[in-house]
Amino acid sequence: MASAISNTVLDIDRIRAEFPILHRETQLGAPIIYLDSAATSQKPRQVIDIMSRYYEQQNANIHRGIHRLAEEATQSFEEARNKIAHFINANSSKEVIFTRNTTEAINLVAYSWGRANLQAGDMLLLTEMEHHSNLVPWQMLAAEKDLHLEFIPVTDEGLLDWTAFEHFLLREPRLVAFTHMSNVLGTINPAAEMVSLAHQAGALVLIDGAQSAPHLKVDMQTIGADFYAFSAHKMCGPTGIGVLYGREKLLASMPPFLGGGDMIRRVHLRSFTPNELPHKFEAGTPAIAEAIGLGAAVDFLESVGLEKIHQHEQLIVSYALERLEEIPGVVVYGPRPEKKGGVVSFKLDGVHPHDVAQLLDTVGIAVRAGHHCAMPLHERFHLPATTRASFYLYTMEQEIDRLVEGLYKVKEIFS
Ligand code: PMP
C-alpha cells in the first residue's frame, strides 16, 4: 500500500501493478526495492507483451519482404518511429534514427558529422558532468583530428558554471555537447537557454538525453538542439535500442555512419548511393521487436503523463534528501530538489560505497555504487566513488524509508 506523498500526483498502486518485476520477492520474502532506475528502468507488462506478441505473430525482416508478415512487421516498426517523433515533437519521423543506445547515437554524430566537418584546431565544448558516453567519442575524434576540448566546470553545488560557459562561447566552439540531466548529481541543465546561447555563438548543439527523455517532457521545438540522444531501456523500454534525433537538413548533409544493407539505394561493385533519411543511418537488420517495445513504452509514459512523472519524482527526491540528510555522516552531492531529477548520490563517512551497496542488497534494496561512468565528475569532487539511489514513476516513499533504515544498519555494522 502506498501512502501520502506517493499518491499525491500518481496512483502509485495502479502504476506498480503494471510492473511484474516489482512484485518479485527477495530472499527476505518482501518485494524488491529497486532504486537503480538511472542504470535501467523496469518494464511494464505492455512492453513485455507487445514484444512477445511480435515474435508470436509478426516476426519477419522489415523493409525488404513483400509477404504479409514482412509488411506487418515493417508497419509496426515504422509506427514505433512515428510515435517517438510525436513523443519528442520532432518535425518528421525522418529525424528519428534508431541506434543501439545513447552511446551509439553520440558516436554516430562524432563519426559522421565530426569527421566531415571539423578541422585541426577546432574547439568542442563539453562539461565536467558528462557520462563517459559523451566524453570518449569526442576524445577519440579530438585525437584523430587534432581538436581542442574544453569543459564547462561544475560548481560545488553541482551546477554548470554559467560565467565560464559564456566565456568559452566567446572562443566560438564548433559544437557544444552536454547532458540534459546528470546521472550522478541529478542536475537538470537549462537546455533551451544553453542551446540558444550556443547557437548565437555559431555552434551546433548535441544533448545527451539519456536521463531526461525518460523523466521530463522533452520537446525538440522548444529545446532547439541539433542532436538529441536517448536510450529505450531507461524509459520503460527494452535494451538494444536507442534514438538519435537530428535536424533533418543536418542529417541529410551528413555522410553515413555504418555501411551495409538498408542504408543504400543502389550498390555497384565500386560505389553506392545512400538511402534517404532515416534509413541512411540504419545499416543492417535493426532491433525490430525492441523498436516496437519502445513504441509501447512511449504509449505507456504518455498515458501517465511526463509532467506528472516529473512532479512525482520531485516529491520523492525532496523526501529522500530530507531523510538522507538526517543521517549523521551522510553527504549528498548535487543541487537542491528544484534543480534536480530523481537521482541522489551520496557518501557515508567511513564506509566504502561498494560496502554500502552490498549491505543494502542483503536487505533487498538495489542501489548502485561506483563512478557511474562519470569518473571526471567524481575526480572534480575528490571522490573515488559514490552510492546512488535513483527513482522513477514507480518509486514510493516507503522505499525511501527502507533505504534510510538500511543505511542506519550499515552504520551500525561499521561503527
Ligand atoms: N548518458 C547518461 C547521462 C547516462 O546516464 C547513460 C547511462 N548510464 C548514458 C549516457 C549511456 O547510455 P547507454 O548505456 O544506454 O548508451
Side-chain angles (χ1 to χ4, degrees), residues 391-406:
F391 317 129
Y392 208 2
L393 72 168
Y394 39 69
T395 308
M396 302 184 292
E397 69 193 279
Q398 293 92 325
E399 295 181 303
I400 307 298
D401 294 336
R402 291 283 308 281
L403 170 68
V404 170
E405 283 163 28

Side-chain angles (χ1 to χ4, degrees), residues 38-40 100-106 129-134 179-184 208-212 230-234 241 368 372-373 388:
T40 200
R100 277 190 305 142
N101 45 39
T102 305
T103 304
E104 188 177 276
I106 297 171
M129 66 167 75
E130 296 314 306
H131 186 281
H132 298 163
S133 293
N134 200 25
T179 187
H180 195 166
M181 173 172 149
S182 162
N183 64 316
V184 177
D208 172 351
Q211 296 294 344
S212 43
F230 53 99
S231 298
H233 70 94
K234 294 184 199 282
I241 189 139
R368 186 158 266 240
H372 319 300
C373 294
R388 180 183 75 186

Side-chain angles (χ1 to χ4, degrees), residues 45-346:
R45 194 180 300 282
Q46 65 194 82
V47 169
I48 301 166
D49 286 352
I50 207 167
M51 292 176 72
S52 307
R53 216 171 319 129
Y54 166 77
Y55 282 121
E56 286 171 6
Q57 312 249 339
Q58 281 191 327
N59 179 51
N61 211 333
I62 55 164
H63 294 149
R64 282 163 260 214
I66 44 169
H67 56 78
R68 188 187 180 102
L69 287 183
E71 278 176 9
E72 280 183 21
T74 303
Q75 197 182 341
S76 300
F77 180 80
E78 291 301 334
E79 262 170 24
R81 193 193 306 276
N82 293 340
K83 283 180 189 176
I84 293 150
H86 180 263
F87 180 68
I88 59 172
N89 198 17
N91 276 323
S92 131
S93 56
K94 289 184 192 162
E95 297 183 324
V96 173
I97 312 291
F98 284 126
T99 61
R100 277 190 305 142
N101 45 39
T102 305
T103 304
E104 188 177 276
I106 297 171
N107 275 273
L108 188 164
V109 176
Y111 190 92
S112 168
W113 176 82
R115 282 174 139 207
N117 290 284
L118 297 173
Q119 278 142 25
D122 281 347
M123 173 186 155
L124 307 181
L125 182 57
L126 314 175
T127 87
E128 278 180 354
M129 66 167 75
E130 296 314 306
H131 186 281
H132 298 163
S133 293
N134 200 25
L135 284 176
V136 180
W138 306 116
Q139 292 173 351
M140 288 162 65
L141 186 68
E144 187 185 318
K145 302 216 75 162
D146 200 13
L147 311 173
H148 272 319
L149 298 183
E150 295 291 355
F151 302 90
I152 307 171
V154 171
T155 64
D156 291 344
E157 198 194 338
L159 301 173
L160 291 178
D161 178 337
W162 205 258
T163 311
F165 174 42
E166 290 184 328
H167 179 76
F168 278 127
L169 288 179
L170 296 175
R171 289 172 47 195
E172 300 184 352
R174 297 290 314 278
L175 178 83
V176 179
F178 64 90
T179 187
H180 195 166
M181 173 172 149
S182 162
N183 64 316
V184 177
L185 304 171
T187 314
I188 298 173
N189 289 314
E193 228 176 312
M194 291 178 72
V195 171
S196 165
L197 287 182
H199 280 168
Q200 280 168 39
L204 291 186
V205 179
L206 176 141
I207 298 183
D208 172 351
Q211 296 294 344
S212 43
H215 303 277
L216 308 171
K217 174 78 195 130
V218 295
D219 181 323
M220 292 307 110
Q221 308 308 316
T222 314
I223 294 172
D226 301 287
F227 301 106
Y228 199 97
F230 53 99
S231 298
H233 70 94
K234 294 184 199 282
M235 50 193 287
C236 296
T239 52
I241 189 139
V243 171
L244 172 68
Y245 157 85
R247 278 199 294 112
E248 184 175 343
K249 238 176 149 174
L250 203 48
L251 290 175
S253 73
M254 285 159 46
F257 173 38
L258 302 172
D262 243 29
M263 52 70 71
I264 47 79
R265 191 194 300 272
R266 291 188 65 78
V267 180
H268 307 285
L269 278 179
R270 295 182 194 283
S271 63
F272 72 95
T273 319
N275 204 340
E276 51 194 41
L277 290 174
H279 313 295
K280 180 169 92 175
F281 291 107
E282 294 178 359
T285 301
I288 304 168
E290 288 77 3
I292 295 168
L294 173 56
V298 160
D299 284 343
F300 172 75
L301 292 174
E302 282 184 333
S303 73
V304 179
L306 269 295
E307 281 86 5
K308 283 191 173 171
I309 294 172
H310 179 53
Q311 279 170 32
H312 170 75
E313 289 170 2
Q314 292 252 283
L315 291 174
I316 293 289
V317 83
S318 302
Y319 183 65
L321 288 178
E322 203 180 295
R323 295 287 337 260
L324 287 171
E325 283 166 359
E326 274 168 20
I327 307 174
V330 165
V331 180
V332 178
Y333 296 89
R336 303 311 305 157
E338 316 76 69
K339 295 200 169 161
K340 75 190 260 152
V343 172
V344 176
S345 295
F346 58 93

